[in-house]
Amino acid sequence: QSALTQPPSVSGSPGQSVTISCTGTSSDVGSSNHVSWYQQPPGTAPKLIIYDVSNRPSGVPDRFSGSKSGNTASLTISGLQAEDEGDYYCNSYTTSITWVFGGGTRLTVL
Amino acid sequence: EVQLVESGGGLVLPGGSLKLSCAGSGFILSGSAVHWVRQASGKGLEWIGRIRDKANNYVTSYAASLKGRFTISRDESKNAACLQMSGLKTEDTAVYYCTRGDFWRFDPWGQGTLVTVSS
């Protein structure tokens, strides 16, 4: 199972919006409603921010939103804040009853 | 507060074995699936495998690339899950996280334990 494809880095200024893509195949993202996103600030453990494509756990700001079209899922962060800096990972359940992560995207707030 | 705590990391020789433990706090871990995920320094997250709960017969699932060397089990008496690693290679050096499988998502995560495979 190959890792899902994410851009290595994205950046934006405070207040702007950025979108991170996550491309898989028909064996994972394309056939799964169970795509999740994780935020990992430097030196910390990952934290769940989106699950089941577009749902936010309690406590996660509504600036974070998720969507999916075909084999590609997306995470959009609006109203960028300095505290949003870090690495972001997508994850998908697969038809092999396994899970697979994306390679990760480093978000820089300029 | 719901928390997970990993332990058992350390330095091991290539070809050696190591067993990691993941203990739950603030909730009954035995009622949840547990996943293990690792992260080499400066690299991304890699899913290792999962064990379901007793009600689901402790069914396990593993990443194809690791199957055979890594085994996940549970210790109900300690409210814990374990990752047994054997035939360790230098490329297995990483921080190992456990995380609760909450349906198809991972939440919460432990703080991680570092495993270094080196001679």
Side-chain angles (χ1 to χ4, degrees):
Chain A
Q1 184 74 50
S2 299
L4 307 176
T5 300
Q6 296 181 233
S9 63
V10 297
S11 63
S13 299
Q16 289 187 331
S17 295
V18 295
T19 296
I20 300 171
S21 61
C22 169
T23 301
T25 68
S26 57
S27 296
D28 38 65
V29 176
S31 60
S32 177
N33 289 322
H34 306 303
V35 176
S36 52
W37 290 88
Y38 300 85
Q39 177 191 54
Q40 187 179 34
T44 70
K47 172 192 170 186
L48 175 70
I49 56 172
I50 294 288
Y51 67 94
D52 291 349
V53 176
S54 59
N55 294 286
R56 277 177 291 105
S58 62
V60 174
D62 59 7
R63 302 185 295 104
F64 293 87
S65 62
S67 62
K68 192 188 89 165
S69 177
N71 294 340
T72 298
S74 299
L75 171 71
T76 298
I77 309 171
S78 58
L80 268 179
Q81 298 181 3
E83 67 204 49
D84 297 333
E85 276 205 343
D87 296 326
Y88 290 80
Y89 294 91
C90 61
N91 179 275
S92 176
Y93 182 60
T94 81
T95 55
S96 301
I97 315 179
T98 60
W99 282 258
V100 61
F101 282 98
T105 298
R106 173 67 55 87
L107 169 63
T108 301
V109 181
L110 302 171
Chain B
E1 182 185 4
V2 173
Q3 284 185 323
L4 293 171
V5 179
E6 302 93 341
S7 61
L11 177 63
V12 60
L13 293 171
S17 300
L18 198 63
K19 187 173 185 177
L20 307 181
S21 182
C22 170
S25 155
F27 73 107
I28 305 300
L29 187 63
S30 61
S32 303
V34 176
H35 295 251
W36 286 91
V37 176
R38 70 181 182 180
Q39 184 172 36
S41 180
K43 304 295 184 182
L45 301 173
E46 180 183 16
W47 183 79
I48 296 171
R50 173 210 67 182
I51 186 165
R52 299 191 71 174
D53 58 4
K54 183 177 181 179
N56 289 286
N57 298 315
Y58 301 124
V59 170
T60 55
S61 179
Y62 298 93
S65 60
L66 299 173
K67 197 172 184 178
R69 295 194 300 123
F70 288 19
T71 302
I72 301 173
S73 61
R74 305 191 79 124
D75 185 340
E76 303 290 11
S77 66
K78 296 181 180 179
N79 195 32
C82 301
L83 174 65
Q84 176 72 52
M85 304 180 290
S86 61
L88 284 164
K89 309 173 183 179
T90 56
E91 53 262 42
D92 294 319
T93 294
V95 173
Y96 286 72
Y97 295 100
C98 68
T99 176
R100 182 177 65 174
D102 185 6
F103 292 94
W104 289 269
R105 56 192 183 261
F106 308 139
D107 183 51
W109 294 62
Q111 84 290 349
T113 187
L114 177 62
V115 172
T116 303
V117 184
S118 175
S119 55

